[in-house]
Amino acid sequence: MMPYTYTARTPEGRFNRVDCFWRGDIDEVRVKLKLLQSNAHKGIDGAAEVLENFQNSRKQLILDYKKTALQLSLWQSSKKERLRLENDEIFNIRYNEVKRRFTDLGYLPEDLEELYPDLRMHKLVRRKTQLTEKMWLRILALFEHQIAEIKAHRLQHAANLIKATRRDIVEKLYAYHKLTLPHAEWRNLPNVFNICRLEPFAALIDADTSIILTDEDFRPAIDNLSDLIANSYEAAKSRVTRKGGRGNASHT
């Protein structure tokens, strides 16, 4: 059989219909084509034109088949896409409710996105029914530990950036401070890493990251830097002396 598919509209909507041509119909066309070719070969008046018209009509029929098949294929793809979007919209209602509840607990949407699509496509989330309290608690138990870890990493990364910015402030002010000193003096100063370990620099750098610190917060320590370095040197010298004293006592 030779199948032929076409579409039609009804008051209820649109539907496809498939017709089939039997083998006998195909054989009949072949017989007719052979006859027309024979007539044209014999030189019968008008036979060549009849053959050409017949061949063109068959070619046009094939083109019509292909055009109809393409239209139906596009319509089917469009319908599938509409159904997919409709389903996604239904599923999104539940997913958005899950996201809202997590954000109410202090998590950010970006924390949840780290788990996409594990959270979005999970069987407890990807449902068309309304989210119940019982189901929410099950989802919470499954995912909160992972989301909490993601949040902790995010906060730690943000804190590291803030502390790095504070160290940059110290480095900048320290560089300006060196310019005010004679070359023979600043060439023997500690590097910026050790300066950042001095108090109160260390306390300021490690202060609560929610506090916004500026150059002015570090400037008093920079202005008193000579005393801070001297005190640090004396403290280190004292520690070494005490350790040496304990070492000598242990040998007596």
Side-chain angles (χ1 to χ4, degrees):
M1 290 190 296
M2 179 179 177
Y4 170 57
T5 304
Y6 68 96
T7 186
R9 291 184 178 275
T10 68
E12 293 76 21
R14 195 171 183 176
F15 73 97
N16 294 337
R17 178 175 171 180
V18 178
D19 286 339
C20 295
F21 296 99
W22 292 102
R23 182 75 181 185
D25 298 329
I26 299 175
D27 291 339
E28 182 180 344
V29 171
R30 287 179 175 173
V31 170
K32 183 175 182 179
L33 177 61
K34 186 175 181 180
L35 175 62
L36 294 177
Q37 289 174 335
S38 176
N39 291 340
H41 182 70
K42 293 176 181 178
I44 298 176
D45 187 31
E49 183 179 356
V50 172
L51 174 61
E52 182 180 1
N53 291 338
F54 178 76
Q55 290 175 325
N56 289 337
S57 68
R58 302 308 299 180
K59 291 178 182 178
Q60 185 60 47
L61 182 61
I62 296 300
L63 293 176
D64 290 342
Y65 287 164
K66 291 182 177 180
K67 181 179 179 181
T68 302
L70 177 60
Q71 291 173 341
L72 291 174
S73 177
L74 293 175
W75 173 80
Q76 185 179 42
S77 298
S78 177
K79 182 178 180 180
K80 287 182 178 179
E81 179 64 14
R82 287 198 305 271
L83 291 175
R84 185 189 68 79
L85 293 175
E86 289 173 1
N87 285 333
D88 283 348
E89 184 62 28
I90 294 174
F91 292 136
N92 278 336
I93 294 175
R94 187 180 178 98
Y95 178 57
N96 289 335
E97 175 63 14
V98 170
K99 288 200 300 183
R100 184 192 66 78
R101 295 200 182 202
F102 272 117
T103 54
D104 287 347
L105 294 177
Y107 300 105
L108 296 183
E110 61 197 75
D111 298 328
L112 304 180
E113 291 302 321
E114 288 284 335
L115 286 180
Y116 191 92
D118 292 343
L119 176 62
R120 173 70 175 81
M121 304 302 292
H122 194 275
K123 62 182 180 180
L124 296 182
V125 178
R126 189 174 173 78
R127 293 187 179 182
K128 299 180 180 180
T129 56
Q130 185 177 0
L131 182 66
T132 63
E133 188 65 24
K134 179 180 179 180
M135 192 60 65
W136 157 244
L137 293 177
R138 290 181 62 186
I139 295 172
L140 182 65
L142 280 173
F143 289 100
E144 186 176 25
H145 177 68
Q146 299 177 64
I147 298 175
E149 287 186 347
I150 293 171
K151 178 182 178 180
H153 291 157
R154 172 176 58 80
L155 293 177
Q156 185 60 53
H157 179 67
N160 291 341
L161 290 178
I162 292 173
K163 291 179 180 181
T165 300
R166 292 171 178 176
R167 284 190 288 269
D168 289 342
I169 293 175
V170 175
E171 183 176 10
K172 178 185 66 175
L173 295 177
Y174 189 35
Y176 288 149
H177 176 73
K178 287 180 178 180
L179 296 177
T180 66
L181 303 175
H183 176 73
E185 183 175 343
W186 71 256
R187 63 183 292 185
N188 295 317
L189 289 174
N191 58 40
V192 68
F193 174 78
N194 289 321
I195 292 297
C196 289
R197 296 173 64 185
L198 292 177
E199 295 296 347
F201 294 109
L204 288 171
I205 291 172
D206 292 332
D208 189 336
T209 54
S210 65
I211 301 173
I212 299 177
L213 299 180
T214 65
D215 293 15
E216 297 306 315
D217 296 297
F218 291 90
R219 198 174 300 280
I222 288 290
D223 293 340
N224 194 37
L225 188 58
S226 297
D227 291 339
L228 294 176
I229 294 175
N231 293 338
S232 175
Y233 174 76
E234 291 300 327
K237 182 178 178 181
S238 177
R239 287 195 299 271
V240 171
T241 301
R242 288 197 300 271
K243 288 182 179 179
R246 288 196 297 270
N248 292 333
S250 64
H251 291 292
T252 59

